[in-house]
Amino acid sequence: MSQPARLFWAIAALVLISQVAVFGSNGRFQEPAPDSSDKAKTQQTSKSSKKRKKKKAVATVPYVVFSPLPQTPVTSASPITINSVEVPTPPPPAARNVSSAEKTPGVHVAPTAIPTETPLGPAPGTATAGQLVISEFRVRGINGPQDEFIEIYNTTGADHTVAAASGTGYGVAASDGITRCSIPNGTVIPARGHYLCVNSVGFSLGAYPAGSGTIGTGDATYTTDIPDNAGIALFNNNTGGGSYSLANRLDAVGSTSEANTTYKEGTGYPPINPAFNINYSFYRDNCGKGGSITTFGGVCPSGGLPIDTNNNAADFIFVDANGTSAGAGQRLGAPGPESLTSPIQRNSVFSTNLLDATVAQSNPPNRVRDFTSDPANNSTFGTLSIRRRFVNNTGANVTRLRFRVVDQTTFPAPSGFADLRTRTSGSVVVAGINDSATCAATGAPATPPCTATVQGTTLEQAAPPANQPNGGAFNGSYSAGTVTLGTPLANGASINLQFLLGIQQTGTFKFFINIEALP
């Protein structure tokens, strides 16, 4: 696969000015360090009771980031304008008066050509360590100890055709040596695609959306429970016994309490409390910040790709839909099991543009800050709407388009950091757009000034019932519901979308997403 170029949009972070950066595929913005003085109290929504390093070239791919959020004041002073809404604010720093009309300084663009993906064809022969990895899993859920799944990811830029070293496929086994599922010979796992094994006795996430108009039911099933905190490994065969060895292992993940080193990498991840039947998962870090809510920086170090450092504790992030503290780190997020029919990360072949490039990224209509309190929808301090125009450069019709959160400030955010919750939004009609490209692609008339519809996005959930009652965060996904098999996004066509974030606490924020699409 050719090295993709990158687009980075960023806004300088200054007191009382929110900052937005979008990563697509044709240039780069840099951001200065943010400044924050927020002291708003966090709304408590937690229900806690509570590989060897694979040495291979990894292409840097684009993704999307927005940071940080306007501050809610704690003292009264002269009002200034933020996103055309008058609010009282603390005095700005000396010699610095900020308003929404100001063009944010320090923005630099380096345009490059939009890349295209180069099909490499199926990888021949048996997989080697690092080509296929365990990317997400859990061994317990809301349905109890058999509410389990194991997700396998193809890390390469080529489709992989399964060809076992022995037996009828690749084996996924727990540290008791018992095969839970197999990936049959001849199975083609797409580049950056997934294969999903589920325990059919208790799996509760079958309603999580997979492909176009479908739900995720797993590519293979098993019925034997995997013990809590036990190790899991993927092997290049499914014959078991002595064939399940370190020499034949493709990847492994296990806790510190797992004694068999064939079934974990490094010392293992911190074990979780098995008393909790919660909606959690461990997923492989695809940003490079270890799931830290407070670690910033203008980019994700991994470029939006899953990391594999031969250390389960560093590579995997624990998320739970209630932000439960179960022993392996606490952060709001959700499981997102993906299968062969799921959308594939396609960052390199989508370009991302401001809805209106004639105004600053921090200003309407590119970003809209609504201060209306809506606690029922996890928006106690209002919402932040990010609007962008995405262009399909895949060379084919896209029948499914969604966006996965890879980094975000959320619960439990300390004071000064925003607690954001992804949420579903509807479409909005925006008038007065002066961007000629947006008007030509999606506006009426086709020349400025024009009016354009910005489509809403849907927080994907395993519903009914909704499995993210506190809103979404890490590993959650938004879908663009207007892109379907019946109404595909044609090659070269654009779609305007908004990402709606509920605000439970104001402060500095970050928000990174990957683009996923079919085919």
Coordinates of all heavy atoms in Angstrom, one line a residue, residues 231-301:
G231 N -5.6 -16.1 29.6 CA -4.9 -15.7 28.4 C -5.6 -16.3 27.2 O -6.3 -17.3 27.2
I232 N -5.5 -15.6 26.0 CA -6.0 -16.0 24.8 C -4.9 -15.8 23.7 O -4.2 -14.9 23.8 CB -7.2 -15.1 24.3 CG1 -8.3 -15.1 25.4 CG2 -7.8 -15.5 23.0 CD1 -9.4 -14.0 25.2
A233 N -4.8 -16.8 22.8 CA -3.8 -16.7 21.8 C -4.3 -17.2 20.4 O -5.3 -18.0 20.3 CB -2.6 -17.6 22.2
L234 N -3.8 -16.6 19.4 CA -4.0 -16.9 18.0 C -2.8 -17.7 17.4 O -1.7 -17.2 17.5 CB -4.3 -15.7 17.2 CG -4.4 -15.8 15.7 CD1 -5.7 -16.6 15.3 CD2 -4.5 -14.4 15.0
F235 N -3.1 -18.9 16.9 CA -2.0 -19.7 16.3 C -2.2 -19.9 14.8 O -3.3 -19.8 14.3 CB -2.0 -21.1 17.1 CG -1.7 -21.0 18.5 CD1 -2.8 -21.0 19.4 CD2 -0.4 -20.9 19.0 CE1 -2.5 -20.9 20.8 CE2 -0.2 -20.8 20.4 CZ -1.2 -20.8 21.3
N236 N -1.1 -20.3 14.2 CA -1.1 -20.5 12.7 C -1.6 -21.9 12.3 O -1.5 -22.3 11.2 CB 0.3 -20.3 12.1 CG 1.3 -21.3 12.6 OD1 1.0 -22.4 13.2 ND2 2.6 -21.1 12.4
N237 N -2.3 -22.6 13.3 CA -2.9 -23.9 13.0 C -4.0 -24.1 14.0 O -4.1 -23.3 15.0 CB -1.8 -25.0 13.2 CG -1.4 -25.1 14.6 OD1 -1.9 -25.9 15.4 ND2 -0.3 -24.4 15.0
N238 N -4.8 -25.1 13.9 CA -5.8 -25.4 14.8 C -5.8 -26.9 15.3 O -6.8 -27.4 15.7 CB -7.2 -25.1 14.3 CG -7.6 -25.9 13.0 OD1 -6.8 -26.7 12.5 ND2 -8.8 -25.7 12.6
T239 N -4.6 -27.5 15.3 CA -4.5 -28.9 15.6 C -4.3 -29.1 17.1 O -4.4 -30.2 17.6 CB -3.3 -29.5 14.9 OG1 -2.1 -28.8 15.1 CG2 -3.6 -29.6 13.4
G240 N -4.0 -28.0 17.9 CA -3.9 -28.1 19.3 C -2.7 -28.8 19.8 O -1.7 -29.0 19.1
G241 N -2.7 -29.2 21.1 CA -1.6 -29.9 21.7 C -0.3 -29.1 21.6 O -0.3 -27.9 21.8
G242 N 0.7 -29.8 21.2 CA 2.1 -29.2 21.1 C 2.2 -28.2 20.0 O 3.1 -27.4 20.0
S243 N 1.2 -28.2 19.1 CA 1.2 -27.2 18.0 C 0.8 -25.8 18.5 O 1.1 -24.8 17.8 CB 0.2 -27.6 16.9 OG 0.7 -28.8 16.3
Y244 N 0.2 -25.8 19.7 CA -0.1 -24.5 20.3 C 1.1 -24.0 21.1 O 1.1 -24.1 22.3 CB -1.4 -24.5 21.1 CG -2.6 -24.6 20.3 CD1 -3.9 -24.7 20.9 CD2 -2.6 -24.4 18.9 CE1 -5.1 -24.8 20.2 CE2 -3.8 -24.4 18.2 CZ -5.0 -24.6 18.8 OH -6.2 -24.6 18.1
S245 N 2.1 -23.6 20.4 CA 3.4 -23.2 21.0 C 3.8 -21.8 20.6 O 3.2 -21.2 19.8 CB 4.5 -24.2 20.5 OG 4.7 -24.0 19.1
L246 N 4.8 -21.3 21.3 CA 5.3 -20.0 21.1 C 5.7 -19.8 19.6 O 5.5 -18.8 19.0 CB 6.4 -19.6 22.1 CG 6.9 -18.2 22.1 CD1 5.7 -17.3 22.6 CD2 8.1 -18.0 23.1
A247 N 6.4 -20.9 19.1 CA 6.9 -20.8 17.7 C 5.7 -20.6 16.7 O 5.9 -20.1 15.6 CB 7.7 -22.0 17.4
N248 N 4.6 -21.1 17.0 CA 3.4 -21.1 16.1 C 2.4 -20.0 16.5 O 1.4 -19.9 15.8 CB 2.7 -22.4 16.1 CG 3.5 -23.5 15.5 OD1 4.3 -23.3 14.6 ND2 3.4 -24.8 16.0
R249 N 2.7 -19.2 17.5 CA 1.8 -18.2 17.9 C 1.9 -16.9 17.0 O 3.0 -16.4 16.7 CB 2.1 -17.8 19.4 CG 1.1 -16.9 20.0 CD 1.5 -16.5 21.4 NE 2.6 -15.4 21.4 CZ 3.1 -14.9 22.4 NH1 2.9 -15.4 23.7 NH2 4.1 -14.0 22.3
L250 N 0.7 -16.4 16.7 CA 0.6 -15.2 15.9 C 0.5 -14.0 16.8 O 1.0 -12.9 16.6 CB -0.5 -15.2 14.9 CG -0.4 -16.4 13.9 CD1 -1.6 -16.3 12.9 CD2 0.9 -16.3 13.1
D251 N -0.3 -14.2 17.9 CA -0.5 -13.1 18.9 C -1.1 -13.6 20.1 O -1.7 -14.8 20.1 CB -1.4 -12.0 18.3 CG -1.4 -10.7 19.1 OD1 -0.3 -10.3 19.6 OD2 -2.5 -10.1 19.3
A252 N -1.1 -12.9 21.2 CA -1.6 -13.3 22.5 C -1.9 -12.1 23.4 O -1.3 -11.1 23.3 CB -0.7 -14.3 23.2
V253 N -2.9 -12.3 24.3 CA -3.2 -11.3 25.3 C -3.7 -12.0 26.5 O -4.5 -13.0 26.4 CB -4.3 -10.3 24.7 CG1 -5.6 -11.0 24.3 CG2 -4.6 -9.2 25.8
G254 N -3.2 -11.6 27.7 CA -3.6 -12.2 28.9 C -3.3 -11.3 30.1 O -2.6 -10.3 29.9
S255 N -3.8 -11.6 31.2 CA -3.7 -10.7 32.4 C -2.4 -11.1 33.2 O -1.8 -12.1 32.9 CB -4.9 -10.8 33.3 OG -4.9 -12.1 34.0
T256 N -2.1 -10.3 34.1 CA -0.9 -10.6 35.0 C -1.1 -11.9 35.8 O -0.1 -12.5 36.2 CB -0.6 -9.4 36.0 OG1 -1.8 -9.2 36.7 CG2 -0.3 -8.1 35.2
S257 N -2.3 -12.3 36.0 CA -2.6 -13.5 36.7 C -2.5 -14.8 35.8 O -2.6 -15.9 36.3 CB -4.0 -13.5 37.4 OG -5.0 -13.3 36.4
E258 N -2.3 -14.6 34.5 CA -2.1 -15.7 33.6 C -0.6 -16.2 33.8 O 0.3 -15.5 33.5 CB -2.4 -15.3 32.2 CG -2.1 -16.4 31.2 CD -2.8 -17.7 31.5 OE1 -4.0 -17.7 31.4 OE2 -2.1 -18.7 31.7
A259 N -0.5 -17.5 34.1 CA 0.9 -18.1 34.4 C 1.5 -18.5 33.1 O 2.8 -18.5 33.0 CB 0.8 -19.2 35.4
N260 N 0.8 -18.9 32.1 CA 1.3 -19.5 30.9 C 1.7 -18.3 29.9 O 0.9 -17.6 29.4 CB 0.3 -20.4 30.2 CG 0.9 -21.2 29.1 OD1 1.9 -20.8 28.5 ND2 0.2 -22.3 28.7
T261 N 3.0 -18.1 29.7 CA 3.5 -17.0 29.0 C 3.2 -17.1 27.5 O 3.4 -16.1 26.7 CB 5.0 -16.8 29.2 OG1 5.7 -18.0 28.9 CG2 5.3 -16.4 30.6
T262 N 2.8 -18.3 27.0 CA 2.4 -18.4 25.6 C 1.1 -17.7 25.3 O 0.9 -17.3 24.2 CB 2.2 -19.9 25.3 OG1 3.5 -20.6 25.5 CG2 1.8 -20.1 23.8
Y263 N 0.4 -17.4 26.4 CA -0.9 -16.8 26.2 C -1.0 -15.4 26.8 O -2.1 -14.9 27.1 CB -2.0 -17.7 27.0 CG -2.2 -19.0 26.2 CD1 -1.4 -20.1 26.4 CD2 -3.2 -19.1 25.3 CE1 -1.6 -21.3 25.8 CE2 -3.4 -20.3 24.6 CZ -2.6 -21.4 24.8 OH -2.8 -22.6 24.2
K264 N 0.1 -14.7 26.8 CA 0.2 -13.3 27.0 C 1.4 -12.7 26.5 O 2.4 -13.4 26.3 CB 0.0 -13.0 28.5 CG 1.2 -13.5 29.4 CD 0.9 -13.1 30.9 CE 2.0 -13.6 31.8 NZ 1.7 -13.3 33.2
E265 N 1.5 -11.4 26.4 CA 2.7 -10.7 26.0 C 3.1 -9.7 27.1 O 2.2 -9.0 27.6 CB 2.5 -10.0 24.6 CG 2.3 -10.9 23.5 CD 2.3 -10.2 22.1 OE1 1.9 -9.0 22.1 OE2 2.6 -10.8 21.1
G266 N 4.3 -9.7 27.4 CA 4.8 -8.9 28.5 C 4.3 -9.5 29.8 O 4.1 -10.7 29.9
T267 N 4.1 -8.6 30.8 CA 3.6 -9.1 32.1 C 2.1 -9.3 32.1 O 1.5 -9.9 33.0 CB 4.0 -8.2 33.2 OG1 3.5 -6.9 32.9 CG2 5.5 -8.1 33.4
G268 N 1.4 -8.8 31.0 CA 0.0 -8.9 30.9 C -0.8 -7.6 31.4 O -0.2 -6.8 32.0
Y269 N -2.1 -7.6 31.0 CA -2.9 -6.4 31.4 C -3.3 -6.6 32.9 O -3.4 -7.7 33.4 CB -4.1 -6.3 30.5 CG -5.0 -7.4 30.5 CD1 -6.0 -7.5 31.5 CD2 -5.0 -8.4 29.5 CE1 -7.0 -8.6 31.5 CE2 -5.9 -9.5 29.5 CZ -6.9 -9.5 30.5 OH -7.8 -10.6 30.5
P270 N -3.7 -5.5 33.5 CA -4.2 -5.6 34.9 C -5.5 -6.4 35.0 O -6.4 -6.2 34.2 CB -4.4 -4.2 35.3 CG -3.6 -3.3 34.4 CD -3.6 -4.1 33.1
P271 N -5.6 -7.4 35.8 CA -6.8 -8.2 35.9 C -8.0 -7.4 36.3 O -7.9 -6.4 37.1 CB -6.5 -9.3 36.9 CG -5.4 -8.7 37.7 CD -4.6 -7.8 36.8
I272 N -9.2 -7.7 35.9 CA -10.4 -7.0 36.3 C -11.2 -7.8 37.3 O -11.0 -9.0 37.5 CB -11.3 -6.7 35.1 CG1 -11.9 -8.0 34.4 CG2 -10.6 -5.9 34.1 CD1 -13.0 -7.7 33.4
N273 N -12.0 -7.1 38.1 CA -12.8 -7.8 39.1 C -13.9 -8.6 38.4 O -14.8 -8.1 37.8 CB -13.5 -6.7 40.0 CG -14.2 -7.3 41.2 OD1 -14.6 -8.4 41.2 ND2 -14.3 -6.5 42.2
P274 N -13.9 -9.9 38.6 CA -14.9 -10.8 37.9 C -16.3 -10.7 38.5 O -17.3 -11.3 38.0 CB -14.3 -12.2 38.1 CG -13.5 -12.1 39.3 CD -12.9 -10.7 39.3
A275 N -16.5 -9.9 39.6 CA -17.8 -9.8 40.2 C -18.7 -8.9 39.4 O -19.9 -8.9 39.6 CB -17.7 -9.2 41.6
F276 N -18.1 -8.1 38.5 CA -18.9 -7.2 37.7 C -19.4 -7.8 36.4 O -18.5 -8.1 35.6 CB -18.1 -5.9 37.4 CG -17.7 -5.1 38.6 CD1 -16.5 -4.4 38.7 CD2 -18.6 -5.0 39.7 CE1 -16.2 -3.7 39.8 CE2 -18.2 -4.3 40.9 CZ -17.0 -3.6 40.9
N277 N -20.6 -7.8 36.1 CA -21.2 -8.2 34.8 C -21.5 -6.9 34.1 O -22.6 -6.4 34.1 CB -22.4 -9.0 34.9 CG -22.1 -10.4 35.4 OD1 -21.0 -10.9 35.2 ND2 -23.1 -11.1 36.0
I278 N -20.5 -6.3 33.5 CA -20.6 -4.9 32.9 C -20.3 -5.0 31.4 O -19.8 -5.9 30.9 CB -19.6 -4.0 33.6 CG1 -18.1 -4.5 33.5 CG2 -20.0 -3.7 35.1 CD1 -17.1 -3.6 34.1
N279 N -20.7 -3.9 30.8 CA -20.6 -3.8 29.3 C -19.2 -3.2 29.0 O -19.1 -2.1 28.6 CB -21.7 -2.9 28.8 CG -21.8 -3.0 27.2 OD1 -21.4 -4.0 26.6 ND2 -22.2 -1.9 26.6
Y280 N -18.2 -4.1 29.0 CA -16.8 -3.6 28.9 C -16.1 -4.4 27.7 O -16.7 -5.3 27.1 CB -16.0 -3.9 30.1 CG -15.4 -5.3 30.2 CD1 -14.1 -5.6 29.7 CD2 -16.1 -6.4 30.8 CE1 -13.6 -6.9 29.8 CE2 -15.6 -7.6 30.9 CZ -14.3 -7.9 30.4 OH -13.8 -9.2 30.4
S281 N -15.0 -3.9 27.3 CA -14.1 -4.6 26.5 C -12.7 -4.1 26.7 O -12.5 -3.0 27.2 CB -14.4 -4.6 25.0 OG -14.1 -3.3 24.4
F282 N -11.7 -4.9 26.3 CA -10.3 -4.4 26.1 C -10.1 -4.3 24.6 O -10.4 -5.2 23.8 CB -9.3 -5.4 26.6 CG -9.1 -5.4 28.1 CD1 -9.9 -6.3 28.9 CD2 -8.3 -4.6 28.8 CE1 -9.8 -6.4 30.3 CE2 -8.1 -4.6 30.2 CZ -8.9 -5.5 30.9
Y283 N -9.7 -3.1 24.1 CA -9.4 -3.0 22.7 C -8.0 -2.4 22.5 O -7.4 -1.7 23.4 CB -10.4 -2.1 22.0 CG -10.3 -0.6 22.2 CD1 -9.6 0.2 21.3 CD2 -10.8 0.0 23.3 CE1 -9.4 1.6 21.5 CE2 -10.7 1.4 23.5 CZ -10.0 2.2 22.6 OH -9.8 3.5 22.8
R284 N -7.4 -2.7 21.4 CA -6.0 -2.4 21.1 C -5.9 -0.9 20.8 O -6.7 -0.3 20.0 CB -5.5 -3.2 19.9 CG -3.9 -3.1 19.8 CD -3.5 -4.1 18.7 NE -3.5 -5.5 19.2 CZ -2.5 -6.1 19.8 NH1 -1.4 -5.4 20.1 NH2 -2.6 -7.3 20.2
D285 N -5.0 -0.2 21.5 CA -4.9 1.3 21.4 C -4.5 1.6 19.9 O -3.6 1.1 19.4 CB -3.7 1.7 22.3 CG -3.4 3.2 22.3 OD1 -4.2 3.9 21.6 OD2 -2.5 3.6 22.9
N286 N -5.4 2.4 19.3 CA -5.1 2.9 18.0 C -4.9 4.4 17.9 O -5.2 5.0 16.9 CB -6.3 2.5 17.0 CG -7.6 2.8 17.6 OD1 -7.8 3.5 18.6 ND2 -8.7 2.2 17.0
C287 N -4.4 4.9 19.0 CA -3.9 6.3 19.0 C -2.5 6.4 19.4 O -1.7 7.1 18.9 CB -4.8 7.2 19.9 SG -4.3 8.9 20.0
G288 N -2.1 5.7 20.5 CA -0.8 5.7 21.0 C -0.6 6.5 22.3 O 0.5 6.7 22.7
K289 N -1.8 6.9 22.9 CA -1.7 7.6 24.2 C -2.2 6.8 25.3 O -2.4 7.3 26.4 CB -2.6 8.9 24.1 CG -2.1 9.8 23.0 CD -3.0 11.0 22.8 CE -2.5 12.0 21.7 NZ -3.4 13.1 21.5
G290 N -2.4 5.5 25.1 CA -2.7 4.6 26.2 C -4.1 4.8 26.8 O -4.3 4.4 28.0
G291 N -5.0 5.5 26.1 CA -6.3 5.8 26.7 C -6.3 6.9 27.7 O -7.3 7.1 28.4
S292 N -5.2 7.6 27.7 CA -5.1 8.7 28.7 C -6.1 9.9 28.3 O -6.1 10.3 27.2 CB -3.7 9.3 28.8 OG -3.6 10.5 29.5
I293 N -6.8 10.3 29.3 CA -7.8 11.4 29.0 C -7.0 12.8 29.0 O -7.5 13.7 28.4 CB -8.9 11.4 30.1 CG1 -9.7 10.1 29.9 CG2 -9.7 12.6 30.1 CD1 -10.7 9.9 31.1
T294 N -5.9 12.8 29.7 CA -5.2 14.1 29.9 C -4.0 14.3 29.0 O -3.3 15.3 29.1 CB -4.8 14.3 31.4 OG1 -4.0 13.2 31.8 CG2 -6.1 14.3 32.3
T295 N -3.6 13.2 28.3 CA -2.4 13.3 27.4 C -2.8 14.0 26.1 O -3.7 13.4 25.4 CB -1.8 12.0 27.1 OG1 -1.4 11.4 28.3 CG2 -0.6 12.1 26.2
F296 N -2.2 15.1 25.7 CA -2.6 15.8 24.5 C -1.5 15.8 23.5 O -0.7 14.8 23.5 CB -2.9 17.3 24.9 CG -4.3 17.5 25.4 CD1 -4.7 17.0 26.6 CD2 -5.3 18.1 24.6 CE1 -6.0 17.2 27.1 CE2 -6.6 18.2 25.0 CZ -7.0 17.8 26.2
G297 N -1.4 16.7 22.6 CA -0.5 16.7 21.5 C -1.4 16.8 20.2 O -2.5 16.3 20.1
G298 N -0.8 17.3 19.1 CA -1.5 17.6 17.9 C -1.9 16.4 17.1 O -2.7 16.5 16.2
V299 N -1.3 15.2 17.4 CA -1.5 14.0 16.6 C -1.6 12.8 17.5 O -1.2 12.8 18.7 CB -0.4 13.8 15.6 CG1 -0.3 14.9 14.6 CG2 1.0 13.6 16.3
C300 N -2.2 11.7 17.0 CA -2.0 10.4 17.6 C -0.7 9.8 17.2 O -0.5 9.7 16.0 CB -3.2 9.5 17.2 SG -4.7 9.7 18.1
P301 N 0.1 9.4 18.1 CA 1.4 8.9 17.8 C 1.4 7.7 16.8 O 2.3 7.5 16.0 CB 2.1 8.5 19.1 CG 1.4 9.4 20.1 CD 0.0 9.6 19.6

